[in-house]
Amino acid sequence: MSEQTSDRGGWPRFIDKCMEWLPARFRGTAVVPVVRLSGTIGAVTPLRPGMTLAGLARTLERAFSVKNAKAVALLINSPGGSPVQSRQIYLRIRQLAAEKELPVLVFVEDVAASGGYMIACAGDEIFCDPSSILGSIGVVGGTFGLTGLIKKIGVERRLYTAGEHKAMLDPFLPEDPDDVARLKSIQREIHALFISLVKQSRGARLKGADGVLFSGEYWAGETSVSLGLADGIGDLRSTLRARYGEKVLTPVIAPASGMLSGLFGRRSAGAGALAALDGVAGLPEEVISALESRAIWARFGF
């Protein structure tokens, strides 16, 4: 797909801005700005940033502010992550759609699962590829039990807390059934919020039973459409051309980067990378972050 980027400089960028202000009848071409939402959600370290509302807010605002836009398209490729950041991103998209009175069209690439599907629900319509993975409407959490290991190697655990449950689910202590029950109670509460959001967004289009749709299971594209989790099979280019004409413009609204972004309170990726390389202390965290991200993707076969 040949997508135009809006992050050009000099005269081309100036001309683009002038074109945005021209009335649609003089331009004669429909415009649908595109925002790509890719990666795990909320898993943020200096070298491995994930999707957060703070990181996406300006990009989303720019997309919804494009003059004479007919709609905003979101390209989603995410296996999920933080339920809080997922919902915050969802809410911001819906707020902007209401303020600008623009429809939101979502196009799923490889996967929109768990928090990725929550964000996809911000679309008025959801399209996917036959091989896309959608769903996983549930909540998951995990840890390790290391009590046997530390006993084997002769390590004594010393932990000091104030608060009866402050050390809940500590992997170096034996598992406490009461702690597990508390965790599952929190998960059920978050799951209920997720279910409510999906029902509110998809409404009567949902066709499966609650016990199926909200079991945490996920499906490929065609089945997702039959269950009402998506509205149709289609890619961005073909769908937008069929709806808005062969000459529809699809400028990609990308995050600001480079030297100028620092002037507006954003630090470039290069600066963040340099900060992370000040010492080796952060490297174990980066390795763990990479493994966690890989594990999230692997749940869906990617």
Side-chain angles (χ1 to χ4, degrees), residues 52 90 104 116 119 300:
T52 64
Y90 163 91
V104 177
I119 294 175
F300 306 103

Side-chain angles (χ1 to χ4, degrees), residues 128-134 218-226 233:
C128 59
D129 185 86
S131 298
S132 298
I133 297 296
L134 289 83
Y218 50 87
W219 302 270
E222 294 282 4
T223 304
S224 298
V225 173
S226 69
I233 300 297

Side-chain angles (χ1 to χ4, degrees), residues 3-246:
E3 299 167 341
Q4 303 86 7
T5 178
S6 66
D7 284 337
R8 299 188 294 172
W11 279 105
R13 178 59 178 158
F14 176 75
I15 293 172
D16 285 347
K17 295 301 294 183
C18 290
M19 290 295 289
E20 290 176 5
W21 285 98
L22 283 176
R25 63 182 181 275
F26 294 133
R27 298 174 61 200
T29 304
V31 180
V32 180
V34 178
V35 177
R36 184 178 293 277
L37 305 177
S38 181
T40 54
I41 303 167
V44 179
T45 61
L47 294 179
R48 186 173 293 274
M51 281 196 286
T52 64
L53 177 59
L56 291 171
R58 175 174 288 184
T59 301
L60 292 171
E61 288 166 7
R62 288 172 56 210
F64 280 92
S65 297
V66 171
K67 299 298 178 181
N68 302 310
K70 298 294 186 182
V72 171
L74 305 178
L75 277 172
I76 294 181
N77 193 14
S78 173
S82 164
V84 174
Q85 291 299 321
S86 301
R87 186 172 179 274
Q88 291 295 314
I89 294 168
Y90 163 91
L91 290 174
R92 187 59 185 140
I93 293 168
R94 292 315 310 162
Q95 289 165 357
L96 288 167
E99 290 171 10
K100 304 297 183 178
E101 298 183 342
L102 286 174
V104 177
L105 306 178
V106 166
F107 296 87
V108 177
E109 295 188 312
D110 296 299
V111 57
S114 194
Y117 184 72
M118 183 184 289
I119 294 175
C121 285
D124 296 288
E125 296 178 73
I126 301 175
F127 300 92
C128 59
D129 185 86
S131 298
S132 298
I133 297 296
L134 289 83
S136 191
I137 302 169
V139 182
V140 64
T143 182
F144 296 93
L146 301 175
T147 54
L149 175 63
I150 63 175
K151 182 178 181 180
K152 182 176 180 179
I153 63 177
V155 176
E156 180 182 353
R157 173 65 162 158
R158 296 174 179 175
L159 184 66
Y160 312 100
T161 67
E164 182 181 356
H165 304 296
K166 187 63 178 178
M168 188 176 80
L169 300 175
D170 187 310
F172 297 100
L173 296 175
E175 185 177 69
D176 185 337
D178 289 340
D179 290 347
V180 175
R182 292 186 191 94
L183 174 63
K184 287 186 173 295
S185 176
I186 294 171
Q187 289 180 323
R188 286 192 293 270
E189 186 174 350
I190 297 172
H191 192 199
L193 290 170
F194 195 171
I195 293 171
S196 176
L197 183 149
V198 173
K199 286 186 172 182
Q200 178 182 343
S201 301
R202 300 298 297 167
R205 288 174 289 185
L206 293 174
K207 297 180 176 62
D210 284 7
V212 175
L213 291 174
F214 308 127
S215 66
E217 189 177 355
Y218 50 87
W219 302 270
E222 294 282 4
T223 304
S224 298
V225 173
S226 69
L227 291 171
L229 296 176
D231 297 287
I233 300 297
D235 64 282
L236 184 145
R237 183 183 180 87
S238 300
T239 302
L240 294 185
R241 284 190 167 192
R243 186 165 299 191
Y244 299 109
E246 290 293 320

